[in-house]
Amino acid sequence: MPGPTADLFADDALQQPAGREQIGDESYVLRGYALPWIDRLLPALRGILAQSPFRQMVTPGGFTMSAALSSCGALGWTSAHHGYRYTSLDPRSQQPWPAMPDELRELAVLAAADAGFIDFNPDACLINRYVAGAKMSLHQDKNERRFDAPVVSVSLGLPAIFLFGGHERSDKTQKISLFHGDVVVWGGVDRLRFHGVMPIKEGLHPIMGPQRINLTFRTAG
Ligand code: SIN
Ligand code: FE2
């Protein structure tokens, strides 16, 4: 007769590796995954931002995005009146985007593998900076040339509520709290799901200060 122990092992949550939460058929939140990497990530991030500082971009519709952006890797994402696109040069400096540091790439590749996506080979990492009140409207990541690679998202600093929707803009969204060091991976059948970030609440993170920084790794080219 199944006792309390059997019930315990029947719990879906316990069949996941520690700290891995499934949010879609091929999507996971890896809680605290980036924490052991932070000491290596932050100097790498500082180097990138010295070369390609955060800037506020304008959408094709003429709105200024509330999150400020930068990129590293062979390709960087840009938005302007002409539309969204990946470029190999930072339009601000007319120089190539900063290279993707090994420690960033390794973190992304390992997280992807832990979510079931082996051989992830990111060539673009978008860096979003949110201060209090900044948000990201629901959108699909669809400026990449192919969709067979996942998106790997690393959250740093202030907490956020991540909205994870479906394949239609009007689909119901899951609200997922993301904290410093959490990594989200979505790919495969979930690759084109709508997602966004609710306005960031004011706060002061002990390491990152009054902001949230999010890194999203993609294979764009
Ligand atoms: C994005 O969708 O580009 C950013 C997501 C996030 O900031 O968590
Ligand atoms: Fe996105």
Side-chain angles (χ1 to χ4, degrees), residues 128 130 136 139 141 153 162 178 195 197 212 214 216 218:
N128 284 297
Y130 303 79
M136 183 77 68
H139 66 278
D141 290 356
S153 149
F162 182 65
L178 294 181
H195 58 278
V197 176
R212 169 175 188 259
N214 176 264
T216 46
R218 306 108 188 270

Side-chain angles (χ1 to χ4, degrees), residues 18-52:
R20 191 173 102 160
E21 296 169 17
Q22 189 160 10
I23 57 169
D25 286 340
E26 295 185 83
S27 309
Y28 298 90
V29 179
L30 309 174
R31 291 289 175 198
Y33 194 92
L35 289 177
W37 296 74
I38 299 290
D39 289 351
R40 282 167 287 166
L41 289 190
L42 296 186
L45 200 53
R46 244 174 249 125
I48 294 165
L49 294 169
Q51 223 178 302
S52 285

Side-chain angles (χ1 to χ4, degrees), residues 77-157:
W77 187 86
T78 61
S79 172
H81 292 289
H82 57 64
Y84 305 117
R85 62 172 72 141
Y86 281 97
T87 60
S88 50
L89 299 184
D90 175 349
R92 185 177 172 276
S93 62
Q94 292 298 320
Q95 297 295 311
W97 293 99
M100 190 184 296
D102 287 343
E103 43 279 76
L104 265 66
R105 172 187 304 278
E106 277 167 34
L107 166 62
V109 168
L110 289 173
D114 277 12
F117 300 98
I118 52 165
D119 298 330
F120 181 43
N121 186 20
D123 57 9
C125 171
L126 270 68
I127 308 168
N128 284 297
R129 175 181 194 258
Y130 303 79
V131 293
K135 66 180 175 70
M136 183 77 68
S137 305
L138 275 185
H139 66 278
Q140 293 169 294
D141 290 356
K142 58 176 187 189
N143 301 125
E144 298 72 28
R145 211 152 56 80
R146 302 163 49 159
F147 303 122
D148 46 1
V151 176
V152 173
S153 149
V154 177
S155 290
L156 302 171

